[in-house]
């Protein structure tokens, strides 16, 4: 198959990018845009699960400057001021755009947008839809718009396993870098195990996060960090790989992924308690919070997760108590969480809700500029897979749907503009389209992450990776545990490379093809970066170091590049 731009993933970032590209291409004409997704279009990513909402300074008493300040404070010195400024400034218009497209945001009786409060926000600024089903509603509207869009082709059931590298002279495009060849498309597996290829001068990864690599997680099936592995194999720079946000309140039940109990509940006054209903964190005991920052149950996610984790190590079973603060309003205000709780035999109107920290969001990613350009020609990224300088060492709650909307749109627009303006010219900027003269498929090769058949089913090995990362790169880390993860991953990799039994077929529920190679690569990058950063910062908590206040001298990302 041929396209000019191939977008991988149908979460909010992929949808926003594809729609923006299609709209930009209307004026350019003749640009072919194809979106691939492995599961159900618009329904197989984290976006559809998002509950709390979208952070945006839409209230007259709020401002983009304040939103940017909160975002940068949460990011602990590792955000890029200009990019955060763009996010906060463009946020309100993206929300209004969604409302015009038909997103049913919740409103006050007078018609103003109803605003929720979440941890570490200094203002109520979380817009939400259908109570706590914001992600579902937003992806529904974007996906319907994409289906109506004549300039956009969509392919469901396409699991991307490889990037196709152009075999033109390495480094012939500025920014391709010595030894790095432009990306010229993707190879994918369909549900029958058949391989397909899409050749395109621009590939935009919108593959979401990597939190599924942790045993306890709220992240969906495909959040295995595939985009990170593929980009890294192509020579792209990854940054901030150690920064994983652990949400303090996933539902503590026997489920995978764990259902999320949104932070907005604590914003409405629900409290973290022990089994006898006694508050775990006394907000007054923290002393005065820094200006504009929250404390107690609404301190930053990393802080609340850390406290809960330590309490659990001492045998405390944490719960969320919404009985008094929300009570009978629960089913109307939080219908999604209410249903999830009931499905596990918990009635949050009457019962304490059992909670646990769980891996929730990965701040690290493919290093990109403000238009989604990676350090490799032909390769772009947007959304959770990217590191655009927005979240730094810790994400401010509800900033990621917003990032997908703002930076997904910019990546889609930028891609089409670069296709029109920058190809071929040999002087193109970083991540520019692969030069047209070297497009023909016959000249390209794939970086294969496809595995040799293994003696043990991939699903078993993936479960081992997930346990290893949860235990060693979890809420609180130390050097010994991190080294253990690295040697564990080596063992798993060796096992995955052992020749399998002849004729062994794919197992029921098996991990997708090549998943172990990709998981090991991403896990190794996370553990190595976490080992290298030997002080606590943002979401990265080291029990074997002092807590470092963010300072200019520390404000540097760890960078990862695959050395093969
Ligand atoms: C339970 C939960 C609740 C959340 N609540 C909020 C919230 O209230 N507000 C907020 O701002 N954020 C929230 N987040 C985070 C937010 O949902 C995500 O960060 C954001 O939606 C990511 O969007 P995305 O488009 O980058 O990725 P996703 O929405 O995850 O989409 C990724 C896409 O890539 C596809 N993909 C993955 N691998 C491959 C592959 N190899 N080949 C092809 N396609 C692939 C996936 O199937 C999917 O289509 C929540 C996250 C979770 C898990």
């Amino acid at each position: 198959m041929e396209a000019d731009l191939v977008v991988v993933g149908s979460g909010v970032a992929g949808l926003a990018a594809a729609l923006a590209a299609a709209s930009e291409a209307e004026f350019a004409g003749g640009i072919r845009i194809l979106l691939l997704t492995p599961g159900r279009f618009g329904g197989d990513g984290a976006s559809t699960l998002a509950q709390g909402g979208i952070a945006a300074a839409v209230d007259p008493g709020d401002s983009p400057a304040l939103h940017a300040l909160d975002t940068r404070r949460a990011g602990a010195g590792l955000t890029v001021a200009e990019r955060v400024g763009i996010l906060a400034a463009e946020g309100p218009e993206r929300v209004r755009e969604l409302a015009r497209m038909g997103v049913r945001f919740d409103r006050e009786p007078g018609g103003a947008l109803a605003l929720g409060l979440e941890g570490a926000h200094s203002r109520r600024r979380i817009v939400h839809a259908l109570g706590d089903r914001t992600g579902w509603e937003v992806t529904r509207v974007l996906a319907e718009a994409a289906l109506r869009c004549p300039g956009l082709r969509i392919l469901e059931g396409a699991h991307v396993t490889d990037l196709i590298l152009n075999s033109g002279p390495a480094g012939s495009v500025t920014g391709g870098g010595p030894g790095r060849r432009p990306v010229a498309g993707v190879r994918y597996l369909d549900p029958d195990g058949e391989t397909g290829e899409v050749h395109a001068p621009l590939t935009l990864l919108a593959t979401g996060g990597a939190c599924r690599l942790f045993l306890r997680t709220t992240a969906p099936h495909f959040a295995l960090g595939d985009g990170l592995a593929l980009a890294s194999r192509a020579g792209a720079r990854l940054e901030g790989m150690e920064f994983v946000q652990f949400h303090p309140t996933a539902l503590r039940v026997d489920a995978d992924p764990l259902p999320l109990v949104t932070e907005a509940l604590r914003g409405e006054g629900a409290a973290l308690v022990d089994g006898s209903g006694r508050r775990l964190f006394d907000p007054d005991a923290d002393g005065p919070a820094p200006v504009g920052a929250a404390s107690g149950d609404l301190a930053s996610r990393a802080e609340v997760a850390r406290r809960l984790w330590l309490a659990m190590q001492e045998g405390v079973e944490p719960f969320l108590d919404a009985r008094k603060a929300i009570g009978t309003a629960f089913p109307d205000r939080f219908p999604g969480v209410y249903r999830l709780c009931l499905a596990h035999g918990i009635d949050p109107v009457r019962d304490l809700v059992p909670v646990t920290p769980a891996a929730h969001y990965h701040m690290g990613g493919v290093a990109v500029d403000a238009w989604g350009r990676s350090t490799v020609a032909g390769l772009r990224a947007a959304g959770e897979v990217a590191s655009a300088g927005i979240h730094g060492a810790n994400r401010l709650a509800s900033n990621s749907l917003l990032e997908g909307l703002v930076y997904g749109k910019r990546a889609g627009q930028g891609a089409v503009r670069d296709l029109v303006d920058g190809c071929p010219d040999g002087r193109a900027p970083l991540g520019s389209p692969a030069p047209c003269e070297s497009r023909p498929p016959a000249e390209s090769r794939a970086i294969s992450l496809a595995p040799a058949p293994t003696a043990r089913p991939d699903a078993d090995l993936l479960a081992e990776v997930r346990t290893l990362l949860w235990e060693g790169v979890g809420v609180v880390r130390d050097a010994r545990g991190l080294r253990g993860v690295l040697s564990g991953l080596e063992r798993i990799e060796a096992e995955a490379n052992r020749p399998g039994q002849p004729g062994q077929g794919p197992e029921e529920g098996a991990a997708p093809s090549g998943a172990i190679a990709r998981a090991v690569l991403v896990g190794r990058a996370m553990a190595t970066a976490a080992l290298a950063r030997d002080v606590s910062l943002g979401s990265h908590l080291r029990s074997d170091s002092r807590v470092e206040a963010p300072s200019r001298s520390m404000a540097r990302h760890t960078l990862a590049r695959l050395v093969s």
Side-chain angles (χ1 to χ4, degrees):
M1 235 183 292
E2 297 278 319
D4 296 297
L5 169 65
V6 56
V7 177
V8 185
S10 67
V12 72
L15 290 168
L19 282 167
S23 144
E24 194 78 18
E26 253 186 67
F27 304 102
I31 291 194
R32 299 157 302 170
I33 302 158
L34 175 66
L35 184 148
L36 305 183
T37 203
R40 192 167 52 80
F41 174 63
D44 57 5
S47 298
T48 192
L49 301 176
Q51 296 177 348
I54 305 170
V58 292
D59 188 70
D62 196 1
S63 71
L66 273 178
H67 184 188
L69 189 68
D70 289 346
T71 302
R72 295 189 61 202
R73 184 180 280 141
L78 286 181
T79 56
V80 177
E82 181 215 340
R83 311 270 181 82
V84 173
I86 291 172
L87 180 89
E90 294 186 5
E93 183 47 29
R94 294 292 80 79
V95 167
R96 286 191 283 272
E97 209 167 72
L98 286 176
R100 287 195 295 273
M101 289 172 80
V103 171
R104 295 163 289 174
F105 285 117
D106 299 320
R107 292 182 181 270
E108 300 294 350
L113 288 165
L115 299 176
L117 177 67
E118 291 190 346
H121 282 275
S122 61
R123 294 285 187 280
R124 282 190 168 265
R125 64 165 71 97
I126 317 299
V127 297
H128 44 86
L130 309 182
D132 55 5
R133 299 186 67 208
T134 314
W136 182 87
E137 174 69 353
V138 168
T139 44
R140 176 190 72 79
V141 166
L142 293 176
E144 283 176 9
L147 287 171
R148 287 193 302 269
C149 184
L152 190 56
R153 280 182 300 159
I154 293 159
L155 187 60
E156 275 186 334
H159 195 118
V160 172
T161 54
D162 308 302
L163 292 179
I164 296 170
L165 294 193
N166 201 298
S167 62
S172 61
V173 173
T174 311
R180 274 179 267 162
R181 299 180 186 284
V183 170
V186 300
R187 180 168 291 159
Y188 63 88
L189 281 179
D190 74 13
D192 299 325
E194 298 292 326
T195 303
E197 287 188 355
V198 183
H199 295 269
L202 274 186
T203 298
L204 198 165
L205 295 173
T207 47
C211 285
R212 185 88 192 153
L213 293 177
F214 293 81
L215 184 64
R216 284 197 180 182
T217 183
T218 58
H221 183 73
F222 291 112
L224 285 164
D226 285 356
L228 299 169
L230 295 170
S232 173
R233 287 278 169 138
R237 198 167 76 199
L238 307 183
E239 63 184 19
M241 289 295 288
E242 68 273 39
F243 297 117
V244 178
Q245 185 173 84
F246 293 87
H247 199 292
T249 57
L251 197 60
R252 186 160 37 84
V253 291
D254 186 15
D256 184 22
L258 295 174
L260 182 71
V261 180
T262 174
E263 187 163 318
L265 282 156
R266 278 174 282 139
E268 300 299 325
L272 288 163
V273 299
D274 65 15
S276 67
R278 200 167 49 91
R279 276 192 89 142
L280 286 174
F281 314 127
D282 175 0
D284 299 329
D286 285 348
V291 182
S295 64
D297 290 349
L298 277 175
S300 76
R301 281 188 182 165
E303 180 53 18
V304 180
R306 183 185 70 85
R307 291 184 195 176
L308 279 186
W309 174 255
L310 293 178
M312 287 169 81
Q313 301 310 299
E314 287 169 12
V316 173
E317 295 202 322
F319 293 85
L320 194 67
D321 186 355
R323 296 173 300 182
K324 216 192 261 167
I326 302 171
T328 51
F330 204 114
D332 285 338
R333 175 63 185 90
F334 299 100
V337 181
Y338 186 66
R339 259 197 313 276
L340 289 169
C341 286
L342 287 188
H344 291 278
I346 302 152
D347 177 358
V349 176
R350 287 199 318 249
D351 303 331
L352 295 179
V353 178
V355 291
T356 174
H360 182 62
Y361 184 86
H362 185 216
M363 273 73 69
V366 181
V368 293
D369 70 7
W371 297 96
R373 300 176 180 111
S374 79
T375 52
V376 167
L379 187 65
R380 311 273 165 121
E384 193 170 337
V385 69
S387 173
I390 305 300
H391 309 298
N394 206 359
R395 174 189 70 129
L396 188 66
S398 286
N399 261 355
S400 40
L401 285 181
L402 184 66
E403 182 190 11
L405 293 167
V406 170
Y407 280 93
K409 178 168 183 157
R410 291 172 74 88
Q413 283 176 334
V416 172
R417 287 176 196 164
D418 286 350
L419 280 165
V420 173
D421 300 340
C423 178
D425 69 2
R427 289 175 292 102
L430 294 187
S432 58
C436 294
E437 69 271 19
S438 46
R439 266 193 222 168
E443 287 186 19
S444 52
R445 71 179 174 89
I447 330 164
S448 185
L449 294 180
T454 55
R456 288 176 56 198
D458 276 1
D460 275 9
L461 290 174
L462 187 59
E464 269 192 52
V465 172
R466 295 181 66 196
T467 305
L468 203 60
L469 292 196
W470 173 248
E471 287 172 357
V473 200
V475 181
V476 180
R477 297 118 181 229
D478 62 28
R480 200 159 152 263
L482 291 165
R483 288 200 190 96
V485 169
L486 290 171
S487 52
L489 289 173
E490 213 162 289
R491 180 180 47 73
I492 290 169
E493 188 175 48
E495 186 137 4
N497 288 334
R498 268 202 298 138
Q501 313 297 329
Q504 181 190 12
E507 298 273 316
E508 176 82 10
S513 174
I516 301 308
R518 293 190 289 267
V520 166
L521 190 159
V522 175
R524 194 174 271 149
M526 283 178 176
T528 305
L531 194 57
R533 190 175 292 282
D534 59 3
V535 292
S536 296
L537 185 72
S539 67
H540 169 67
L541 302 175
R542 289 278 300 249
S543 62
D544 54 352
S545 82
R546 66 198 186 284
V547 176
E548 190 82 13
S551 72
R552 278 186 180 282
S553 62
M554 292 189 57
R556 282 203 199 101
H557 259 310
T558 46
L559 306 178
R561 253 211 334 118
L562 189 69
V563 181
S564 51

